[in-house]
Amino acid sequence: MALLVKNGEIVTASERYVADIWCEGETITRIDRNIAAPPGAEVIDAGGKHVFPGFIDPHVHIYLPFMGTFSKDTYETGSKAALVGGTTTLIEMCCPSRKDDALEAFELWMSQAVGKSACDFSFHMGVTKFDEKTASELREIVKRGISSFKIFLAYKGAFGIDDTELYQTLKLAKELGVIVTAHCENETLVAERQKELLAAGRTDPGQHHESRPPAVEAEGVHHLMTFAELTGAATYIVHLSCKEALDEAIAARQRGVRVNVETLIQYLVLDKTYAERPNFEGAKYVMSPPLRDARNQAVLWNGLRSGLVNTVATDHAPFDFQTQKPMGKDDFTKIPNGIPSLEERINLLYTHGVKAGKLDLHTFVDVASTQVAKIFDLFPRKGTIQPGSDADLVIFDPGYRGVISGKSQTMNVDYSAFEGWKIEGRPRDVTVRGQVAVKNGKFVGTVGRGQFLKRTPSHF
Ligand code: URP
Ligand code: ZN
Ligand code: ZN
């Protein structure tokens, strides 16, 4: 297998230049001007196009038993959607319930992906309880190639852990050099406010954000930061949505706490008025933390530009509007949480970030690929274009113009939260370890070829 990508403008987090990329087997082996194609090599003409390193989504749910149902994608549909959208590696949350064993859960999540994914993948190992058995299983899971944990300070009675478990998880993570990713919302405050709103007859989707105001998230971040400070563990706040929460993370970082911050494409382009749409339409926009007041968008874009926010993910969690969201028709607390967007992250970030003048091209690559690879122990195999790196390339057409629609999307869900939105630019061709997986915007890859990426912890 030999592939030559000619005449593209290579854009990484730090460089921008026109050159040819020669890939032998699964790896980039040479970058130069005027590389001649040997007989039999596959050649892609990338003239007039950007060539980005494969994008990495650090927060995805594919197999997710949650709120009495299951998210809709399989690895086959989800990985195809990821690739069409320019994402060549995804990191999924492995989310056992409190009664499940960690190792069994890890093997179950692996069995959903191995031989079924078209893109490369890894997992953040969910720690939804902590005891001696769990600790020894977590050690084993780390040996098998996992270098990040996931904890929830929200979802009382489901995934949420108590403070003793939090402390012990962070101590183990510090010992193993594992980074701990965390959903930060105070679960008690959420539960109490939900009860009050329902008792007052406020049941519609627009009440979801009333039950989880910014202070609830800020308190969650503050709480995690205190525990991180005292244990010395490296942390990563997932799906940060608002200024109040970011202020807590920055304050902690300034006093030496080890913290990275992820925001989501949804928070950058949507606001809470979407969840207030009438006739239950708002349910399409129910996720946690909730969509916020629009003033937060500028704070998050600015955070990306200034490096205060490290990454942009999707928290892809697809639930059908017709059959699953209505579980909460008369009670917003029962609406399955999630806004599907695995396929649209890069197109939306490019259109509303780069084209709108809010992000330069390097920052765009950095927050959607390079920093993810660095934080999660995948760099420089992933996250950049250089000899020795995997040949994961996105040949991106900045001249493309299109419209998002749930009817034409690859994700296995019956709606798009961005129906009718215009996009400017899209991935034209995408390669995964030297094999073309998307051609002219269409999936042409191999289901099952995606590899589990073994990671070695580095956050000691
Ligand atoms: O609403 C969300 N975020 N759904 C997925 C589960 C989670 O909290 O990440
Ligand atoms: Zn979460
Ligand atoms: Zn999530």
Side-chain angles (χ1 to χ4, degrees), residues 59 61 93 150 239 315:
H59 185 166
H61 300 274
M93 299 294 173
K150 169 71 185 290
H239 52 37
D315 193 8

Side-chain angles (χ1 to χ4, degrees), residues 59 150 152 155 183 238-239 288 315:
H59 185 166
K150 169 71 185 290
F152 293 89
Y155 304 132
H183 176 136
V238 300
H239 52 37
S288 298
D315 193 8

Side-chain angles (χ1 to χ4, degrees), residues 98 128-130 152-153 160-169 187 223 227:
R98 274 180 79 82
T128 48
K129 67 176 171 209
F130 193 95
F152 293 89
L153 304 186
I161 52 173
D162 66 29
D163 281 351
T164 306
E165 293 170 316
L166 173 59
Y167 188 72
Q168 295 299 335
T169 303
E187 61 178 5
H223 199 77
F227 281 66

Side-chain angles (χ1 to χ4, degrees), residues 299-369:
V299 174
L300 297 174
W301 285 113
N302 189 44
L304 289 169
R305 276 194 300 275
S306 58
L308 296 172
V309 177
N310 303 87
T311 62
V312 177
T314 59
D315 193 8
H316 178 69
F319 296 101
D320 275 344
F321 180 61
Q322 293 300 334
T323 56
Q324 292 178 296
K325 293 281 186 180
M327 291 166 69
K329 191 95 189 105
D330 304 313
D331 176 350
F332 71 90
T333 68
K334 297 193 165 63
I335 300 170
N337 285 199
I339 304 179
S341 46
L342 179 55
E343 194 167 346
E344 306 301 350
R345 176 181 65 131
I346 296 307
N347 289 336
L348 289 169
L349 192 64
Y350 184 82
T351 302
H352 294 272
V354 177
K355 293 296 276 189
K358 293 181 180 140
L359 290 186
D360 64 45
L361 272 181
H362 300 296
T363 308
F364 166 71
V365 172
D366 201 28
V367 299
S369 179

Side-chain angles (χ1 to χ4, degrees), residues 205-206 209-210 270-277 285 290-294 297:
H209 53 76
E210 301 296 340
L270 299 169
D271 64 62
K272 67 181 186 184
T273 60
Y274 286 87
E276 292 166 354
R277 288 183 167 181
Y285 300 93
L291 297 178
R292 299 297 187 192
D293 189 292
Q297 292 174 357

Side-chain angles (χ1 to χ4, degrees), residues 146-443:
I146 295 297
S147 68
S148 47
F149 293 159
K150 169 71 185 290
I151 54 159
F152 293 89
L153 304 186
Y155 304 132
K156 215 179 179 65
F159 301 136
I161 52 173
D162 66 29
D163 281 351
T164 306
E165 293 170 316
L166 173 59
Y167 188 72
Q168 295 299 335
T169 303
L170 289 170
K171 271 186 36 173
L172 179 67
K174 168 80 172 108
E175 180 200 323
L176 298 176
V178 161
I179 187 167
V180 178
T181 73
H183 176 136
C184 296
E185 287 182 300
N186 181 298
E187 61 178 5
T188 306
L189 287 172
V190 172
E192 291 305 311
R193 290 179 68 87
Q194 285 178 333
K195 271 192 256 167
E196 283 168 10
L197 287 160
L198 291 176
R202 296 170 62 176
T203 59
D204 61 283
Q207 304 308 316
H208 178 70
H209 53 76
E210 301 296 340
S211 71
R212 320 169 93 100
V216 166
E217 187 181 344
E219 202 289 321
V221 171
H222 183 84
H223 199 77
L224 178 76
M225 294 298 90
T226 305
F227 281 66
E229 186 170 7
L230 294 180
T231 56
T235 59
Y236 175 97
I237 298 166
V238 300
H239 52 37
L240 183 135
S241 70
C242 60
K243 179 178 186 310
E244 290 83 346
L246 183 59
D247 286 348
E248 291 290 348
I250 295 167
R253 197 182 271 157
Q254 282 170 348
R255 62 178 196 269
V257 178
R258 302 165 74 194
V259 57
N260 298 278
V261 173
E262 166 196 283
T263 192
L264 304 182
I265 191 63
Q266 294 93 323
Y267 301 135
L268 290 164
V269 299
L270 299 169
D271 64 62
K272 67 181 186 184
T273 60
Y274 286 87
E276 292 166 354
R277 288 183 167 181
N279 304 321
F280 201 61
E281 185 80 7
K284 291 177 179 172
Y285 300 93
V286 165
M287 66 175 301
S288 298
L291 297 178
R292 299 297 187 192
D293 189 292
R295 74 184 161 83
N296 290 286
Q297 292 174 357
V299 174
L300 297 174
W301 285 113
N302 189 44
L304 289 169
R305 276 194 300 275
S306 58
L308 296 172
V309 177
N310 303 87
T311 62
V312 177
T314 59
D315 193 8
H316 178 69
F319 296 101
D320 275 344
F321 180 61
Q322 293 300 334
T323 56
Q324 292 178 296
K325 293 281 186 180
M327 291 166 69
K329 191 95 189 105
D330 304 313
D331 176 350
F332 71 90
T333 68
K334 297 193 165 63
I335 300 170
N337 285 199
I339 304 179
S341 46
L342 179 55
E343 194 167 346
E344 306 301 350
R345 176 181 65 131
I346 296 307
N347 289 336
L348 289 169
L349 192 64
Y350 184 82
T351 302
H352 294 272
V354 177
K355 293 296 276 189
K358 293 181 180 140
L359 290 186
D360 64 45
L361 272 181
H362 300 296
T363 308
F364 166 71
V365 172
D366 201 28
V367 299
S369 179
T370 312
Q371 285 214 61
V372 181
K374 287 182 174 169
I375 293 168
F376 294 115
D377 306 308
L378 292 168
F379 191 84
R381 177 175 178 190
K382 307 288 190 188
T384 193
I385 298 177
Q386 65 183 43
S389 295
D390 281 359
D392 297 352
L393 302 170
V394 175
I395 292 102
F396 191 91
D397 180 2
Y400 178 84
R401 297 291 177 270
V403 177
I404 297 173
S405 172
K407 293 188 186 67
S408 52
Q409 71 193 3
T410 314
M411 299 182 291
N412 184 33
V413 61
D414 70 354
Y415 77 99
S416 170
F418 311 101
E419 188 69 37
W421 285 37
K422 293 194 172 97
I423 51 161
E424 300 184 27
R426 70 156 182 187
R428 188 194 69 183
D429 310 318
V430 178
T431 72
V432 179
R433 285 178 284 103
Q435 191 188 88
V436 179
V438 173
K439 210 176 221 159
N440 282 322
K442 298 267 175 297
F443 177 76

Side-chain angles (χ1 to χ4, degrees), residues 107-127:
E107 285 169 355
L108 172 62
W109 259 260
M110 278 287 272
S111 73
Q112 302 292 318
V114 174
K116 296 171 186 160
S117 184
C119 69
D120 286 353
F121 58 92
S122 182
F123 299 97
H124 302 296
M125 185 61 217
V127 182

